[in-house]
Amino acid sequence: MYIGGGTPSVLPLSAVMEIASAADGAALAGNPLSQRHFREFTFEANPEDIAGRGRAYAEGLAACGVNRISMGVQSFDDGILRWMNRRHSAGTAVKAYDIIRESGIENVSIDLIFGISQMDDDLWNDTLDKAVALRPQHISAYQLSIEPESTLASMVRTGRYREASEPVCRRQYDMLCRKLSEAGYRHYEISNFALPGYEALHNSSYWRHVPYAGFGPGAHSFSIGGDTALSGTLRKYMRFWNIPDVRKYISYYSQDNVSGQTGTLEAAVDAGVKQFEVLTPEQTAIERIMLGLRTDTGVERTFLAAHTDRSGLEKMVGGGFLVPASDPSFLRIPEKHFFISDSIIADII
C-alpha cells in the first residue's frame, strides 16, 4: 500500500486511519493495523510536517500500519532548498528523520535532486555525504526536470535560469552511483538505491508490470488479465485513470452513488470521472521492456529477441550496452550506461 502522489502528511491521523482501515478490507476489531497484512505500507511525508507535528504524529502513523516513510528531503543545502521554494531547512530534514526513527518506523526512504545548475560538485558531494551519514534504507535520486508550464519553465524561457549541462548532470550521476555503492547500497533501478532487502515493493511491482489500483482524484490504475468486457473490448491490457477534479470526483463517489451500476467502471467512464486506454500486446511488450531495462534485473533474452529490432539488439549486446544480469537468461543495462538508458532502449525498439 502506498499513500502519496501529493502531500499526505498534511492529513490528520484520523483520516490516515480511516483510509488504512478501508484499504485493509476489514474492521479493526481492536487490533492495530500494524499487526495486519500489509507487507509494505509507505506514506509520503514532507520534513516540515513531521518536524512540526512531532513524535506523536509519527507514532500515530505507525499505529495506522505505516512501516515505511518516503520523505522529500531533496537537498541538505539551505540555499538550494530556498531556491526550490521548499518550506523546510536541512536541519528540519534531519530532525524529521530522527523523529521517524524514534517512532519505531525502521524503513525510511529519502528523495534527492541533482542536475541543478547552481549546485556544484562540492555541494552535491556534501549532500551525498550527509545522506549516507543518516543511513536511510532507501534513497531515490532524480535529475531536475523542467515541466511544461511550470514556474521553472518560465524562468528558462525568460533567461532567469539556465539548465545544467549534460556533462554536469552525467558527472553528478556518476558521483551518486559511486558514493552509494561504496556505502553498501544496491543500485536496483536507474534512480533508486537500497540497502540489501529494502528495495521498495511498490516501486518494484510497477517496474515488473504488476497490476495496481489507484484511488483518488488523478490516480492511475493498471490491469493485466481478465476477460470482463468494456464496450466489447477485452480488458487484458488496460490502464485507466480518475479525473483530477476533486469536487467532481467526490460528488460522483458519494455514498448515494457507489451502489449498483453507478459503482462500476463502465458507469464511471460514461459519467466522465474515469478515462481508459486498452493497450495492444505490442504496446504492453514495449512497456515491459522499457520498465524492465530500468532495473538491474533486466528483461529475459527470449522476450527481447521476440519483441525488439534484431540488428539493434545485436548492436547493443556487441557494444556492451546490454550485458547478462545476475540471472544469465536476462539482459540488463550496466550501471555505467544507465545514464543513457533512454537511447539504448530506443535503439532496440
Side-chain angles (χ1 to χ4, degrees):
M1 181 170 170
Y2 194 104
I3 299 182
T7 314
S9 53
V10 302
L11 291 171
L13 288 173
S14 59
V16 181
M17 178 65 78
E18 186 174 358
I19 294 167
S21 180
D24 192 64
L28 293 180
N31 295 321
L33 276 168
S34 57
Q35 297 177 9
R36 301 185 72 82
H37 73 256
F38 297 113
R39 290 178 59 204
E40 178 185 273
F41 182 169
T42 301
F43 188 85
E44 285 191 357
N46 280 346
E48 64 271 17
D49 294 329
I50 298 297
R53 293 182 171 188
R55 183 170 171 176
Y57 186 75
E59 290 177 342
L61 292 175
C64 290
V66 173
N67 55 26
R68 184 176 185 269
I69 293 285
S70 178
M71 188 164 63
V73 173
Q74 315 308 354
S75 176
F76 286 103
D77 178 80
D78 286 343
I80 295 295
L81 290 170
R82 283 193 297 270
W83 178 80
M84 292 181 180
N85 288 322
R86 304 294 297 190
R87 289 184 290 142
H88 68 274
S89 64
T92 301
V94 174
K95 178 181 177 181
Y97 183 88
D98 291 340
I99 288 172
I100 294 168
R101 287 290 193 221
E102 293 165 1
S103 74
I105 298 175
E106 298 179 353
N107 192 351
V108 182
S109 177
I110 64 172
D111 289 353
L112 301 175
I113 296 180
F114 66 94
I116 301 170
S117 59
Q118 66 268 43
M119 183 175 71
D120 61 25
D121 291 354
D122 288 340
L123 202 56
W124 176 232
N125 190 64
D126 183 63
T127 283
L128 291 173
D129 283 341
K130 289 176 178 176
V132 167
L134 289 178
R135 202 64 177 170
Q137 281 66 37
H138 192 278
I139 296 175
S140 297
Y142 304 99
Q143 182 178 323
L144 179 69
S145 60
I146 299 177
E147 298 297 327
E149 308 307 320
S150 66
T151 299
L152 189 54
S154 175
M155 292 173 64
V156 171
R157 286 194 301 270
T158 57
R160 290 176 292 156
Y161 178 75
R162 178 176 295 178
E163 295 181 69
S165 68
E166 184 171 335
V168 167
C169 294
R170 174 63 190 258
R171 188 169 63 249
Q172 293 187 354
Y173 184 73
D174 289 344
M175 292 170 62
L176 166 75
C177 297
R178 183 172 59 254
K179 181 79 68 172
L180 296 192
S181 175
E182 291 170 351
Y185 287 84
R186 173 190 168 194
H187 192 179
Y188 72 106
E189 193 271 345
I190 288 174
S191 302
N192 288 270
F193 304 76
L195 295 176
Y198 287 97
E199 296 81 5
L201 296 181
H202 166 271
N203 297 8
S204 298
S205 295
Y206 174 77
W207 297 316
R208 295 198 320 272
H209 241 190
V210 173
Y212 53 88
F215 301 91
H220 286 234
S221 301
F222 179 64
S223 66
I224 301 179
D227 55 4
T228 302
L230 179 67
S231 302
T233 304
L234 292 181
R235 290 167 55 190
K236 189 173 183 182
Y237 308 97
M238 183 175 178
R239 181 177 291 107
F240 44 97
W241 56 95
N242 301 326
I243 58 168
D245 188 309
V246 177
R247 290 183 176 85
K248 188 173 182 180
Y249 179 89
I250 291 175
S251 175
Y252 183 82
Y253 286 106
S254 64
Q255 190 59 44
D256 294 335
N257 207 22
V258 294
S259 60
Q261 288 300 308
T262 56
T264 66
L265 173 60
E266 289 82 355
V269 170
D270 289 342
V273 295
K274 276 188 184 291
Q275 294 178 287
F276 74 97
E277 62 176 338
V278 177
L279 304 180
T280 66
E282 292 76 16
Q283 289 173 317
T284 306
I286 289 174
E287 282 198 3
R288 180 174 166 185
I289 291 168
M290 292 175 66
L291 293 171
L293 288 181
R294 290 184 62 89
T295 72
D296 67 349
T297 301
V299 178
E300 303 98 316
R301 289 173 181 263
T302 53
F303 191 85
L304 287 169
H307 298 283
T308 62
D309 174 72
R310 180 175 178 178
S311 62
L313 183 60
E314 291 176 349
K315 177 183 175 183
M316 291 299 104
V317 172
F321 297 99
L322 287 173
V323 298
S326 56
D327 179 344
S329 66
F330 284 63
L331 290 175
R332 58 159 294 189
I333 298 174
E335 183 184 56
K336 65 181 180 180
H337 294 314
F338 263 164
F339 189 78
I340 58 169
S341 60
D342 285 350
S343 61
I344 294 171
I345 295 169
D347 279 346
I348 66 173
I349 62 174

